[in-house]
Amino acid sequence: MVEPVDIYFAEMQACGRPATTIRSYGLDLLRWWRFMWALGIEWNQATRVDARDFVRWMQIGDKPVRVHWRHRLAGLTAETAPKPQRKRKLPAGAPNPITGKSSPGTKYALNTWAHCETVLRTFYDFHLDEGTGPIINPFPLVRARRSGRANAHKDPASPFRNERSGRYRPTIPKRAPRRIPDDMFNALFAALKYNRDRALLAFWVSNGARADELLTSRQRDALPGDQLIGVIRKGSRDYQQIPCSTDSFVWLRLYQEEAWRAGVPRGRNETLWWTLRRPWRPLNYHAARAMFESANDLLGSNWTLHDLRHTAAYRLAQDPKMPLTDIQWVLAHAHLTTTQLYLPAGKDEVIEHVRAHHARQARLREQPPPQPAPGYNPDSLNNLFGMSL
């Protein structure tokens, strides 16, 4: 059973897919494999009825609860293991009072369902083309769009991109990018304890790089004199130098001096971001996210690292002298339409604009009506009509 998955992942690696993408594909395939194991079905014998039942199960089934490895060694299960205690923990699916974002629910999200359907459809399409799988894909396309190429603009060169809509793929509503307001960002920044974390946030909110992209930088990639830092882009795997704010390099220098005195490896080819404790290890995405979640816990918010990228894009788009094509280059968007999503004002700014509108209308009602001309006497018009009568 493992062999078809290994062949599929080897093809993805040959196409230059990052490890994070391969991991996400593997989790979707594991979910499908476990569903077939429960039914006693081989992967190449699954029918469209099985695929339909799997999609239906994702709609009504609960997400599995991950048990900490210490509890697993003790023989505890998800029901008997103690629940993790976090500050100001909200119920599943409840909106956060500060950010307005809902906390993760007990059911699978629409994005998870859609991503899983796409992965499984492309997996069976791959083995269908290679002649190593069933001749009928259990995850078919929509009947009305089999001959079209909807969504082909997203990435025409990718063999794993969904070019047409799947029959079991849900409709995901389009949401505006969510940015962090300036006052909340200042509170998050003040909640950080270490200069490394302050440098990371300063870079993320100034250059718009993805969280895992910034972690690929080496010590030779930081150029304070030019205000540039080099990163490896997630999709294309290209090396790109992007401009950053001066404050981010100040925090970076403070962090580097502290880290080098503590014994962190120093060299041009060494990674730029390290853990804070021995043994020294390169900082990965999960550790950076844990750092950010700790700051969120202090404030009772649930912002994400990707919200920092949205915040940087929104700040750039609000500058009237900043061309939209330059913002597209900084964010490494393949299409300008993706960058245009950051042009509309955020929810908090729209509320302020409407409040200002009502305040202006109230002031206008309190002012007397303007006179048509200096010295105008409205009684003269009444006398004129009286003479005419």
Side-chain angles (χ1 to χ4, degrees):
M1 272 194 176
V2 180
E3 183 178 356
V5 178
D6 291 341
I7 297 174
Y8 181 62
F9 286 160
E11 184 72 14
M12 293 185 65
Q13 290 177 344
C15 294
R17 293 296 162 187
T20 53
T21 300
I22 297 177
R23 181 180 181 273
S24 66
Y25 276 46
L27 293 176
D28 291 331
L29 288 171
L30 179 61
R31 189 179 298 114
W32 168 244
W33 241 251
R34 286 174 174 172
F35 182 81
M36 291 188 296
W37 283 338
L39 298 180
I41 303 174
E42 297 290 338
W43 74 275
N44 54 0
Q45 296 178 357
T47 64
R48 293 184 176 178
V49 175
D50 300 326
R52 182 198 61 191
D53 294 341
F54 171 73
V55 171
R56 180 57 181 161
W57 168 77
M58 288 197 65
Q59 298 179 41
I60 62 177
D62 292 335
K63 293 186 296 185
V65 179
R66 185 177 181 181
V67 182
H68 196 274
W69 63 270
R70 293 189 180 91
H71 301 323
R72 291 198 302 268
L73 292 178
L76 301 178
T77 62
E79 292 76 15
T80 58
K83 304 300 180 183
Q85 298 294 330
R86 296 185 59 185
K87 296 180 179 179
R88 303 181 185 180
K89 183 70 174 181
L90 295 174
N96 186 279
I98 298 178
T99 65
K101 299 171 59 176
S102 299
S103 58
T106 58
K107 307 295 182 181
Y108 288 102
L110 288 179
N111 290 327
T112 305
W113 173 12
H115 188 271
C116 189
E117 189 274 340
T118 301
V119 170
L120 296 176
R121 179 158 40 83
T122 55
F123 171 77
Y124 280 99
D125 280 342
F126 168 77
H127 284 286
L128 178 62
D129 295 338
E130 295 292 326
T132 56
I135 60 175
I136 297 179
N137 192 333
F139 293 88
L141 297 170
V142 176
R143 294 186 180 94
R145 302 179 67 177
R146 287 179 181 173
S147 59
R149 286 196 58 182
N151 300 328
H153 64 280
K154 291 186 176 179
D155 193 356
S158 171
F160 299 99
R161 177 62 65 180
N162 173 32
E163 294 188 351
R164 290 167 287 184
S165 178
R167 184 185 301 178
Y168 303 133
R169 183 181 179 86
T171 300
I172 302 177
K174 294 183 178 180
R175 295 180 299 180
R178 190 180 297 273
R179 68 178 185 88
I180 304 177
D182 293 342
D183 55 343
M184 284 301 305
F185 176 78
N186 295 335
L188 277 173
F189 196 86
L192 300 176
K193 299 180 180 179
Y194 306 102
N195 290 328
R196 182 206 63 180
D197 303 338
R198 299 185 183 101
L200 283 169
L201 254 68
F203 275 110
W204 278 322
V205 82
S206 65
N207 58 27
R210 297 176 179 88
D212 50 351
E213 290 177 346
L214 184 61
L215 300 179
T216 62
S217 299
R218 302 286 177 177
Q219 295 184 20
R220 65 172 182 269
D221 297 328
L223 304 176
D226 299 329
Q227 288 187 226
L228 296 174
I229 190 170
V231 298
I232 303 296
R233 286 303 185 179
K234 180 181 179 181
S236 61
R237 310 306 297 171
D238 293 336
Y239 178 80
Q240 182 179 352
Q241 291 180 324
I242 47 180
C244 310
S245 65
T246 55
D247 292 341
S248 58
F249 286 100
V250 173
W251 290 112
L252 174 63
R253 190 60 179 177
L254 293 174
Y255 152 65
Q256 285 182 319
E257 291 295 334
E258 293 179 353
W260 289 337
R261 286 195 300 266
V264 167
R266 181 173 183 176
R268 287 177 49 82
N269 297 327
E270 297 289 348
T271 184
L272 185 60
W273 309 102
W274 294 87
T275 56
L276 297 175
R277 297 174 180 85
R278 297 177 182 271
W280 308 118
R281 300 179 304 275
L283 186 69
N284 57 26
Y285 172 80
H286 300 286
R289 186 179 64 178
M291 170 272 297
F292 194 70
E293 289 179 353
S294 299
N296 270 322
D297 291 342
L298 295 176
L299 302 177
S301 57
N302 61 347
W303 302 110
T304 63
L305 290 178
H306 201 69
D307 292 334
L308 295 171
R309 174 175 166 87
H310 291 177
T311 304
Y314 181 79
R315 291 181 177 182
L316 291 173
Q318 291 306 300
D319 188 352
K321 296 183 179 181
M322 188 71 182
L324 192 61
T325 52
D326 293 353
I327 304 176
Q328 177 191 4
W329 181 87
V330 170
L331 299 178
H333 285 158
H335 302 278
L336 193 62
T337 54
T338 307
T339 313
Q340 290 175 342
L341 297 175
Y342 299 94
L343 292 180
K347 180 186 69 175
D348 53 341
E349 289 194 353
V350 172
I351 294 175
E352 292 300 326
H353 293 167
V354 176
R355 288 174 178 172
H357 163 74
H358 292 309
R360 290 192 298 268
Q361 295 298 319
R363 288 194 297 268
L364 289 176
R365 287 192 296 267
E366 295 175 357
Q367 296 177 358
Q371 299 294 336
Y376 171 75
N377 185 6
D379 296 334
S380 61
L381 188 62
N382 297 331
N383 297 334
L384 178 64
F385 281 111
M387 293 176 59
S388 62
L389 292 175

